[in-house]
Amino acid sequence: MDHAPYVLVFLCISIQGLLSENNSTSTESVHFRLVGGASRCHGDLEMKQKDGNWKPVEGLYWYRKLGNRVCAELNCGSAVSVRYRDTDSEIDNWWIRSDCDESELRDCFRSESFVFSSLELNCSDSVRLVHGSSVCSGRLEVHSPQSRSWSSVCEGHLDLPGAQVVCRELGCGAPGLLQGALSGAAEAPVVQTFTCEGHESALLDCGSSGAQTCSSGTAVDLTCTDPDDVRLVGGASRCNGTVQIKHHGEWRDVEYFDYSGPWTLKAADVICRRLDCGSAVSGRRSDSSDPSYLFGSGWHISPTCLLSTSALMDCVRTDTSYSFSTLSLTCSDSVRLVHGSSLCSGRLEVRSNQSWSSVCEEDLDLNDAQVVCRELGCGAPGLLQGALYGEGEAPVWTSELQCEGHESAVLDCRRSSSAGKTCSPGTAAGLTCSDPGGVRLVGQPSRCAGTLEIQHLGQWRPVIDPRRDWDLKSGSAVCQYLDCGSAVSVNNTQDSAHRPVWSVSVPCVKLTSGLRDCVELSGSYMFSSGVDVVCSDLLPQPNISLSDGVFEVYQQGFRLLTGSDFTITCSVQPQYPGGSFQLISDTKEPLNLTLPAVNHSAHFLLSAVGHTHQRDYTCVYHVHVYNHSFSSSQSPTLYLTVGDSSDRQSGAHRPGSAHMCSLPLLLLLLLLL
């Protein structure tokens, strides 16, 4: 029996309690320092307790992007490396949550005994890259030891050898892009020009000239390549197989289980795009029950970290251990959708002859779109439109697709050549495929409240919440998907029996419109907890009708006799007991009446009809359930006019053909019809 999923779930639950313990830190009391190193920006990480004493920080679960936050707080530039260091003895230290979000670093610690490791953090000290997409990209700033401040560098004051030195000092790969103002205009003052030969270990070791000023928008922006590498091995192609990462010069399999959250298509897509393999289509875990699995030591990567960076090196964890399972991926290889709100939407690009090309809108029909969506593992095409996801930067594909709709891949379709073809502006094909799974809330009278269930791999299951990180923002993503407004409450629930569940990455849910992107790639758990969501649009639209009185029926509404009595009935589909109805009018003397709901309806009796009763009437239903008060949308409008018998006889003021009748006669006529 495979116990790894249960161990993972247990550890996740144990870790979640960190914030609620009495010894957890407050935002005001957190301070860091690095000790035992060559400078104040290098050494073992320690954090100050509330009583002013310092304790080491446990070395497990850290990755470079997380360490970068500590370096920033120490005013020490960027994180160059984070390393787990065995202490060989039991020490009392701070333990960081394994699912810590680096944007909320101060809330991630608790005090712990019986720990045997510490964290060695090396910060860059004198250079940093800010406002970039990873630790190795951004606007270059240099730290001055004299002024203890950071300054920008003009684009013309740093050449390629200088960029090589900066990238090496930051622990990154070779320079990939050197450009002005790519990551925003400089806020820091500008420093001197650097003259490097390329072999120096630090930028401040290079020769320099006096400080100068540079024109607006030319502060140098630098992107260094990722020194880590990735590959897929053992599959049918280079875009299919077991994921391996080269870190510290060593290739190892990537461990499937990670305490920060599950591997999802959204996280896996970073790897597929890094390999120029299109989009992530599917993934699975290989473990001891799989004949292809080889037991060994693997690299741990935080899939949650990958949601906010394109650099693998930012997310490789300090801890390495024996792999209980490995990650395998299948990428689309020949087709992708770019710049969309999910993996199943975007501008269509096709890979042919080792390059990607856009497709003209006129060259893509419904059959073609069906094949594209199928190849990407998405549902049926829902929207096909030019320039919906921006103009294509890639060249236009010179072939016109002629799919029949049953093919498994775009390149299996017949094609006709259109050499030299170009698309008109705004006609690069954009495609939105539907979600192949489903989402629903069950167990309550309304479809907009209940236990969250997701259909994945053809099976409906509740969603597990071991880290208790479902909140109103992630719940609102579910409500919006169901067209139920926003979330008003999200709760973790316990069931009496264990049942199969799905694991979902909550940080992913907050970033994408496609819930398919965020369901765990592979893995089935038996668990007794779930997630209950209540959405704001809980109540159905009420009905409104004229249920008594003498009136005439018009195409636009009803006409009442002056001086007569009439009753307006408000009703709603049976869901919740009790509640009340509100009757609102925009008449000359506006009405705002409220009656309790009896058998899901209320009858408003109005007497002595006059011209002040003319115009529109609507109903609103109110009820208090789930510890919240809810109000429905307004009912359809009931339009009333008022007239006397002479108006009827002359036909004056009639908006359309009219038939005078009482309610019983009207009902009889309807039955006869």
Side-chain angles (χ1 to χ4, degrees), residues 338-339 347 349 358 386-394 423-429:
V338 298
H339 304 314
R347 188 179 68 248
E349 292 185 353
S358 297
L388 187 63
Y389 300 101
E391 286 296 324
E393 299 173 358
C423 292
S424 303
T427 61

Side-chain angles (χ1 to χ4, degrees), residues 18-31:
L18 303 183
L19 294 180
S20 61
E21 297 189 8
N22 293 332
N23 55 9
S24 62
T25 63
S26 66
T27 300
E28 294 75 23
S29 64
V30 178
H31 298 283

Side-chain angles (χ1 to χ4, degrees), residues 104-394:
E104 302 170 354
L105 184 62
R106 294 175 178 268
D107 299 324
C108 291
F109 295 92
R110 70 167 173 134
S111 182
E112 186 63 76
S113 301
F114 311 110
V115 180
F116 297 86
S117 71
S118 61
L119 179 74
E120 181 184 353
L121 177 60
N122 179 20
C123 304
S124 58
D125 195 2
S126 60
V127 293
R128 68 184 183 188
L129 298 174
V130 298
H131 306 309
S133 61
S134 73
V135 177
C136 289
S137 67
R139 191 178 65 240
L140 174 62
E141 292 185 351
V142 180
H143 187 259
S144 170
Q146 292 77 24
S147 64
R148 296 185 179 180
S149 61
W150 292 91
S151 303
S152 298
V153 178
C154 293
E155 182 183 9
H157 297 175
L158 188 79
D159 56 12
L160 181 59
Q164 290 173 335
V165 174
V166 171
C167 291
R168 184 184 307 117
E169 184 174 358
L170 291 173
C172 304
L177 181 64
L178 186 62
Q179 185 174 340
L182 192 64
S183 296
E187 300 170 359
V190 175
V191 297
Q192 63 266 29
T193 301
F194 292 95
T195 306
C196 302
E197 296 181 9
H199 58 75
E200 297 86 349
S201 59
L203 185 63
L204 295 185
D205 294 338
C206 298
S208 62
S209 59
Q212 302 180 29
T213 59
C214 51
S215 58
S216 175
T218 61
V220 69
D221 194 280
L222 176 62
T223 298
C224 309
T225 57
D226 192 338
D228 290 353
D229 204 356
V230 63
R231 65 188 181 189
L232 301 178
V233 299
S237 72
R238 72 176 194 90
C239 294
N240 177 290
T242 299
V243 181
Q244 290 189 341
I245 294 289
K246 185 180 182 182
H247 186 57
H248 297 320
E250 183 179 354
W251 285 101
R252 294 185 186 178
D253 292 345
V254 171
E255 165 66 32
Y256 178 83
F257 288 110
D258 187 83
Y259 301 115
S260 71
W263 274 96
T264 64
L265 286 177
K266 184 78 171 176
D269 195 60
V270 175
I271 294 174
C272 292
R273 292 184 185 273
R274 170 72 179 267
L275 292 169
D276 199 29
C277 280
S279 302
V281 175
S282 64
R284 66 184 183 93
R285 80 169 191 260
S286 301
D287 52 34
S288 56
S289 63
D290 190 326
S292 66
Y293 173 75
L294 296 176
F295 187 76
S297 181
W299 292 121
H300 287 246
I301 297 181
S302 167
T304 301
C305 170
L306 285 179
L307 297 175
S308 57
T309 182
S310 59
L312 295 173
M313 66 171 297
D314 290 356
C315 304
V316 179
R317 290 195 183 276
T318 53
D319 50 307
T320 59
S321 63
Y322 284 104
S323 298
F324 294 98
S325 61
T326 58
L327 171 67
S328 295
L329 291 181
T330 297
C331 307
S332 59
D333 194 2
S334 60
V335 66
R336 67 185 183 187
L337 298 174
V338 298
H339 304 314
S341 58
S342 73
L343 297 183
C344 289
S345 66
R347 188 179 68 248
L348 174 61
E349 292 185 353
V350 177
R351 191 168 189 267
S352 180
N353 297 325
Q354 309 304 312
S355 64
W356 292 95
S357 304
S358 297
V359 177
C360 294
E361 180 185 14
E362 63 189 38
D363 293 339
L364 191 75
D365 61 16
L366 181 58
N367 287 341
D368 304 330
Q370 288 174 335
V371 176
V372 171
C373 293
R374 182 182 304 118
E375 184 172 359
L376 292 174
C378 304
L383 182 63
L384 181 61
Q385 185 174 337
L388 187 63
Y389 300 101
E391 286 296 324
E393 299 173 358

Side-chain angles (χ1 to χ4, degrees), residues 4 39 97 243 279 298 305 321 486 543 577 607:
S39 73
R97 281 173 43 204
V243 181
S279 302
C305 170
S321 63
S486 58
N543 299 311
S607 303

Side-chain angles (χ1 to χ4, degrees), residues 358-559:
S358 297
V359 177
C360 294
E361 180 185 14
E362 63 189 38
D363 293 339
L364 191 75
D365 61 16
L366 181 58
N367 287 341
D368 304 330
Q370 288 174 335
V371 176
V372 171
C373 293
R374 182 182 304 118
E375 184 172 359
L376 292 174
C378 304
L383 182 63
L384 181 61
Q385 185 174 337
L388 187 63
Y389 300 101
E391 286 296 324
E393 299 173 358
V396 175
W397 200 34
T398 57
S399 298
E400 181 180 347
L401 289 173
Q402 296 178 344
C403 301
E404 297 181 7
H406 57 76
E407 297 88 348
S408 58
V410 165
L411 296 185
D412 292 338
C413 298
R414 291 185 295 109
R415 287 164 283 169
S416 60
S417 178
S418 304
K421 182 180 180 61
T422 58
C423 292
S424 303
T427 61
L431 177 61
T432 299
C433 308
S434 61
D435 195 323
V439 178
R440 66 187 183 189
L441 299 174
V442 300
Q444 296 296 330
S446 171
R447 72 174 191 87
C448 293
T451 300
L452 173 61
E453 289 189 349
I454 286 182
Q455 186 186 39
H456 180 53
L457 302 178
Q459 298 184 38
W460 285 99
R461 295 180 183 176
V463 171
I464 191 177
D465 187 21
R467 290 166 291 277
R468 288 169 171 76
D469 48 5
W470 277 89
D471 56 16
L472 290 179
K473 185 174 181 180
S474 50
S476 291
V478 172
C479 294
Q480 291 165 12
Y481 186 92
L482 295 171
D483 196 23
C484 286
S486 58
V488 298
S489 71
V490 177
N491 297 298
N492 185 276
T493 61
Q494 293 293 325
D495 198 273
S496 58
H498 282 59
R499 54 189 173 174
V501 294
W502 292 123
S503 177
V504 174
S505 167
V506 174
C508 172
V509 170
K510 296 177 181 179
L511 291 174
T512 179
S513 65
L515 291 177
R516 160 191 177 268
D517 299 352
C518 304
V519 181
E520 183 173 357
L521 292 176
S522 176
S524 177
Y525 309 110
M526 297 292 291
F527 217 69
S528 59
S529 73
V531 180
D532 273 9
V533 179
V534 178
C535 305
S536 58
D537 295 354
L538 180 77
L539 305 175
Q541 184 183 38
N543 299 311
I544 187 170
S545 61
L546 189 62
S547 58
D548 205 358
V550 179
F551 53 85
E552 292 175 313
V553 182
Y554 288 82
Q555 293 177 352
Q556 295 178 336
F558 298 92
R559 187 182 216 185

